[in-house]
Amino acid sequence: MFDRDTMVAYGLIDLKNVMTLARISPTNDLITTYNTIEEADKAYEPENNAENNAKCLLYISLKNAENGSMFYDTDRNKIVIKVNNK
Protein backbone atom coordinates (compact mmCIF):
# COMPACT_ATOMS: atom_id res chain seq x y z
CA MET A 1 0.00 0.00 0.00
CA PHE A 2 1.45 3.34 -1.02
CA ASP A 3 0.58 6.96 -0.53
CA ARG A 4 2.62 10.15 -0.63
CA ASP A 5 4.40 9.55 2.71
CA THR A 6 4.03 5.86 3.47
CA MET A 7 4.69 2.42 2.08
CA VAL A 8 3.28 -0.55 3.96
CA ALA A 9 4.02 -4.10 2.88
CA TYR A 10 2.70 -7.22 4.56
CA GLY A 11 5.13 -9.69 3.08
CA LEU A 12 8.53 -10.06 1.50
CA ILE A 13 10.34 -7.03 0.13
CA ASP A 14 13.23 -8.10 -2.09
CA LEU A 15 15.63 -5.23 -2.73
CA LYS A 16 18.13 -5.91 -5.50
CA ASN A 17 20.16 -2.75 -5.03
CA VAL A 18 21.49 -0.40 -2.36
CA MET A 19 19.15 0.95 0.29
CA THR A 20 20.15 4.24 1.93
CA LEU A 21 19.09 4.99 5.48
CA ALA A 22 18.13 8.48 6.55
CA ARG A 23 21.28 10.43 7.45
CA ILE A 24 20.44 12.33 10.64
CA SER A 25 22.66 14.50 12.80
CA PRO A 26 20.97 14.54 16.22
CA THR A 27 22.76 17.78 17.12
CA ASN A 28 21.89 19.64 13.90
CA ASP A 29 18.79 18.00 12.39
CA LEU A 30 16.46 17.70 15.40
CA ILE A 31 14.57 20.14 17.57
CA THR A 32 13.55 18.20 20.69
CA THR A 33 11.45 20.88 22.37
CA TYR A 34 8.03 19.71 21.15
CA ASN A 35 6.29 16.37 21.58
CA THR A 36 3.36 16.70 19.19
CA ILE A 37 2.85 17.86 15.63
CA GLU A 38 0.38 20.45 16.87
CA GLU A 39 2.97 21.98 19.22
CA ALA A 40 5.58 22.04 16.46
CA ASP A 41 3.16 23.63 13.98
CA LYS A 42 2.23 26.29 16.52
CA ALA A 43 5.88 27.12 17.26
CA TYR A 44 7.10 26.91 13.65
CA GLU A 45 4.39 27.43 11.07
CA PRO A 46 5.17 25.05 8.18
CA GLU A 47 4.54 27.75 5.57
CA ASN A 48 6.84 30.32 7.18
CA ASN A 49 9.51 28.24 8.90
CA ALA A 50 9.58 24.91 7.09
CA GLU A 51 13.17 23.99 8.05
CA ASN A 52 12.62 24.21 11.81
CA ASN A 53 9.19 22.62 11.51
CA ALA A 54 10.77 19.68 9.67
CA LYS A 55 13.40 19.32 12.41
CA CYS A 56 10.61 19.12 15.00
CA LEU A 57 8.65 16.58 12.96
CA LEU A 58 11.75 14.43 12.46
CA TYR A 59 12.30 14.32 16.22
CA ILE A 60 8.65 13.42 16.83
CA SER A 61 8.87 10.68 14.21
CA LEU A 62 11.99 9.21 15.78
CA LYS A 63 10.50 9.43 19.26
CA ASN A 64 7.33 7.63 18.14
CA ALA A 65 9.10 5.10 15.91
CA GLU A 66 8.63 1.40 16.53
CA ASN A 67 11.37 -0.81 17.92
CA GLY A 68 13.56 -1.94 15.04
CA SER A 69 13.44 1.45 13.31
CA MET A 70 16.85 2.67 12.22
CA PHE A 71 18.79 5.61 10.81
CA TYR A 72 22.39 6.57 10.19
CA ASP A 73 23.71 8.91 12.93
CA THR A 74 26.11 11.27 11.13
CA ASP A 75 27.47 12.60 14.43
CA ARG A 76 28.74 9.17 15.50
CA ASN A 77 29.09 7.57 12.03
CA LYS A 78 26.97 4.62 13.16
CA ILE A 79 23.66 3.02 12.39
CA VAL A 80 21.19 3.53 15.24
CA ILE A 81 18.43 1.00 15.85
CA LYS A 82 15.60 1.65 18.29
CA VAL A 83 15.46 -1.14 20.87
CA ASN A 84 13.26 -1.19 23.99
CA ASN A 85 11.92 2.26 23.03
CA LYS A 86 15.39 3.86 23.18
Side-chain angles (χ1 to χ4, degrees):
M1 295 181 287
F2 294 90
D3 69 16
R4 185 185 72 99
D5 298 317
T6 309
M7 180 196 87
V8 178
Y10 295 99
L12 177 69
I13 298 175
D14 186 359
L15 301 171
K16 300 286 185 197
N17 208 323
V18 176
M19 179 178 72
T20 302
L21 297 176
R23 298 175 48 83
I24 300 171
S25 166
T27 56
N28 297 314
D29 297 333
L30 304 176
I31 295 177
T32 62
T33 309
Y34 307 102
N35 293 309
T36 67
I37 294 170
E38 293 78 18
E39 290 175 341
D41 285 350
K42 190 180 285 187
Y44 300 107
E45 293 180 14
E47 297 81 23
N48 299 325
N49 200 335
E51 183 177 345
N52 284 335
N53 185 271
K55 289 180 179 185
C56 292
L57 297 182
L58 184 56
Y59 166 72
I60 293 166
S61 293
L62 289 172
K63 186 178 125 196
N64 294 330
E66 295 181 14
N67 288 328
S69 299
M70 57 186 163
F71 69 94
Y72 184 80
D73 182 334
T74 59
D75 293 350
R76 298 187 290 168
N77 291 321
K78 293 184 178 187
I79 294 173
V80 177
I81 303 172
K82 188 168 185 177
V83 178
N84 293 327
N85 295 317
K86 296 181 180 178

